[in-house]
């Protein structure tokens, strides 16, 4: 065509990005993993305590159910909110594990649990709405709140309060713009657990101010003492709680991508529509594997929990013996969150040096929010031998650091 030129340079993609992309964060765990793997590719030995996924194989019966489903021809679309038997099994599981009575129609199945968070925020948060979330907390909360157009209002989880939410701080954080409170118990990254009295006081605040509550209970089966309690069962909460749980952590199924939300019935069509628009549905064979996981033999879950407990005790005792390190006993999940302020290094500095100089990949607590400064997150989803080797490497590094002062 006259006047057209084939030599003009296309504008760089960065200049074409929608402004909303500048509000989207990420998970440092994946960045640190990539750096650690790059070091390994150069021949360095690295112990991975950065990534939050069980190192166990998916239970055999679950794998079999998935393979059988594929062979039986479950290779097509399913209804957007999930297949009926799985939604029924999740509803029954809610009653069995939490005493929560819900109908299968209140369950939406998603590829991994993360979409439940994303969809709930997209469906409910308008520009300028405030969402209260734990600090330190799972970084995807902040990222997704901001992407949806909301404002993040952090509330601290003080170490002095066993990393339980500061309820007085929560009360102060509520404003007329508050839309939702995000809770996570057992918690990533601290391993802290909300006690029944915390849940009662949070529920009181939610009802008083007519707020939604997003209860991320993905670590509900990884609890080392007592029973799991859900805020959803408290008076006035069923109609305002979106409960997230899934298969990734409980059944070592991170790569299958299977999770779910349990929510008020009138929210379901909206979350389902988001599913229809994004994923259409969750993979059929994955859902059938999940059905086996949730209804079948639970012995593998108990075996994994027992092994995590053994590792927790090894890592916490080992951390407390390191110079400049103090570590509280986590009550759930598979993370230790040691206080490292007495090492004299900031969290990011220490995490970087441990990776580069000691060959131990950890995460800086500050990548989970300002409240995580002065801490590291170590995932103990690794063998006792590797944990012991990591502790030995950290010990040598920290002893040299102290000697060099
Ligand atoms: N919520 C928390 C607190 C998590 O730590 C994770 C995974 O790391 C998720 C949700 C998401 O789990 P999934 O892999 O099922 O999407």
């Amino acid at each position: 065509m006259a006047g057209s030129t084939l030599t003009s340079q296309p504008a760089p993609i960065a200049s074409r990005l929608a402004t909303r992309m500048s509000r989207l964060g990420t998970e440092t765990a994946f960045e640190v993993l990539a750096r650690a793997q790059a070091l390994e590719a150069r021949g360095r030995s690295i112990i991975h305590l950065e990534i939050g996924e069980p190192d166990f194989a998916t239970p055999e019966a679950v794998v079999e159910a998935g393979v059988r489903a594929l062979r039986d021809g479950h290779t097509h679309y399913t209804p957007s909110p999930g297949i009926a038997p799985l939604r029924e099994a999740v509803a029954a599981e809610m009653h069995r594990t939490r005493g929560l009575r819900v109908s299968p129609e209140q369950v939406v199945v998603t590829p991994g649990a993360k979409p439940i968070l994303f969809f709930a925020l997209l469906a409910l948060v308008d520009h300028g709405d405030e969402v209260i979330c734990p600090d330190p907390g799972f970084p995807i909360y902040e990222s997704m709140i901001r992407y949806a157009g909301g404002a993040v209002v952090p509330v601290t989880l003080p170490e002095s309060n066993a990393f339980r939410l500061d309820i007085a701080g929560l009360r102060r954080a509520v404003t007329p713009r508050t839309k939702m409170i995000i809770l996570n118990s057992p918690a990533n990254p601290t391993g802290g657990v909300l006690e029944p009295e915390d849940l009662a006081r949070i529920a009181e605040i939610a009802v008083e101010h007519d707020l939604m509550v997003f209860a991320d209970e993905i670590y509900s089966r990884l609890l080392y003492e007592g029973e799991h309690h859900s805020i959803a069962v408290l008076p006035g909460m069923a109609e305002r709680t979106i409960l997230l749980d899934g298969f990734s952590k409980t059944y070592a199924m991170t790569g299958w991508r299977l999770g779910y939300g349990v929510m008020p019935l009138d929210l379901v069509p909206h979350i389902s529509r988001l599913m229809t628009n994004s994923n259409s549905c969750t993979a059929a064979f994955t859902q059938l594997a999940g059905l086996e996981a949730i209804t079948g033999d639970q012995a593998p879950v108990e075996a994994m929990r027992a092994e995590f407990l053994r590792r927790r005790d090894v890592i916490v005792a080992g951390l407390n013996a390191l110079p400049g390190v103090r570590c509280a006993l986590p009550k759930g999940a598979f993370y230790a969150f040691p206080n490292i302020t007495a090492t004299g290094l900031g969290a990011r500095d220490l995490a970087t040096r441990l990776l580069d100089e000691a060959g131990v990949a950890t995460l800086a607590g500050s990548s989970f929010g300002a409240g995580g400064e002065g801490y590291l997150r170590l995932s103990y989803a690794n063998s006792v031998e590797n944990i012991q080797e990591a502790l030995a490497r950290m010990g040598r590094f920290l002893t040299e650091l102290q000697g060099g002062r």
Side-chain angles (χ1 to χ4, degrees):
M1 204 170 76
S4 73
T5 163
L6 292 173
T7 55
S8 70
Q9 287 294 313
I13 291 297
S15 72
R16 299 182 196 262
L17 285 179
T19 44
R20 75 175 80 85
M21 284 305 288
S22 66
R23 304 197 302 266
L24 194 64
T26 188
E27 259 185 88
T28 320
F30 289 99
E31 289 173 1
V32 174
L33 176 65
R35 282 196 49 224
Q37 286 171 337
L39 289 171
E40 281 173 321
R42 282 191 260 135
R44 288 280 310 281
S45 151
I46 306 290
I47 299 188
H48 291 273
L49 302 183
E50 78 281 39
I51 205 82
E53 74 167 335
D55 54 322
F56 304 106
T58 302
E60 193 52 37
V62 176
V63 174
E64 275 310 312
V67 171
R68 199 166 51 243
L70 286 171
R71 293 238 153 83
D72 289 350
H74 293 281
T75 53
H76 297 276
Y77 292 133
T78 79
S80 289
I83 56 172
L86 183 55
R87 296 173 81 194
E88 282 160 18
V90 169
E93 170 85 351
M94 288 299 111
H95 187 237
R96 196 177 64 75
T97 55
R98 294 152 170 95
L100 178 63
R101 286 198 182 279
V102 289
S103 74
E105 289 71 35
Q106 287 178 258
V107 177
V108 178
V109 178
T110 46
K114 261 182 187 164
I116 291 296
L117 174 66
F118 199 11
F119 296 161
L121 293 168
L122 285 178
L124 295 169
V125 172
D126 261 327
H127 252 272
D129 283 350
E130 294 174 1
V131 180
I132 294 175
C133 63
D135 178 16
F138 185 43
I140 299 302
Y141 301 145
E142 172 168 352
S143 170
M144 290 291 161
I145 294 166
R146 284 166 43 78
Y147 193 71
V152 177
V153 179
V155 172
T156 56
L157 304 172
E159 181 188 355
S160 56
N161 192 30
F163 295 117
R164 289 154 57 189
L165 200 71
D166 168 16
I167 307 285
L170 172 65
R171 201 170 263 292
R172 282 194 304 276
V174 175
T175 77
R177 293 306 310 258
T178 307
K179 191 71 166 263
M180 188 189 283
I181 302 170
I182 297 183
L183 303 176
N184 178 212
S185 178
N188 176 7
T190 63
V193 170
L194 293 172
E195 299 295 335
E197 68 258 34
D198 300 325
L199 297 175
R201 292 171 69 198
I202 297 166
E204 241 174 60
I205 295 171
V207 170
E208 183 185 328
H209 296 275
D210 195 16
L211 306 176
M212 294 294 292
V213 168
F214 189 95
D216 182 343
E217 301 183 6
I218 193 92
Y219 297 101
S220 61
R221 300 283 293 278
L222 283 166
L223 199 59
Y224 304 114
E225 52 191 83
E227 280 180 10
H228 176 66
H229 297 276
S230 178
I231 197 164
V233 298
L234 297 180
M237 292 310 293
E239 54 272 40
R240 63 180 71 253
T241 303
I242 301 159
L243 189 158
L244 169 155
D245 203 342
F247 297 77
S248 298
K249 318 287 176 176
T250 303
Y251 300 99
M253 289 178 75
T254 44
W256 293 75
R257 307 313 298 138
L258 188 64
Y260 54 83
V262 179
M263 61 198 78
L265 194 58
D266 48 355
L267 180 59
V268 170
H270 306 288
I271 303 295
S272 289
R273 203 148 39 99
L274 282 158
M275 264 301 281
T276 306
N277 275 268
S278 52
N279 299 288
S280 294
C281 64
T282 305
F285 76 96
T286 295
Q287 294 189 60
L288 285 160
L291 181 61
E292 169 61 31
I294 206 168
T295 57
D297 181 15
Q298 299 298 296
V301 176
E302 183 43 35
M304 286 190 269
R305 196 194 65 87
E307 178 59 18
F308 279 132
L309 176 60
R310 190 168 84 93
R311 296 168 180 185
R312 175 196 74 162
D313 292 345
V314 170
I315 200 166
V316 171
L319 286 166
N320 278 317
L322 297 179
V325 179
R326 175 183 83 214
C327 186
L329 194 66
K331 290 190 175 159
F334 40 64
Y335 307 110
F337 203 62
N339 183 318
I340 49 89
T341 44
T343 64
L345 291 182
R348 195 161 301 274
D349 235 15
L350 180 57
T352 306
R353 291 189 61 182
L354 282 174
L355 177 58
D356 292 343
E357 298 173 38
V360 181
T362 63
L363 298 183
S366 47
S367 36
F368 297 86
E373 182 49 74
Y375 298 86
L376 291 183
R377 190 195 81 169
L378 284 74
S379 160
Y380 48 89
N382 207 329
S383 66
V384 166
E385 297 68 44
N386 282 340
I387 289 169
Q388 279 165 338
E389 173 60 20
L391 289 165
R393 292 182 186 188
M394 290 173 74
R396 286 194 290 275
F397 173 83
L398 291 169
T399 307
E400 261 177 47
L401 185 73
Q402 290 222 322
R405 281 219 194 113

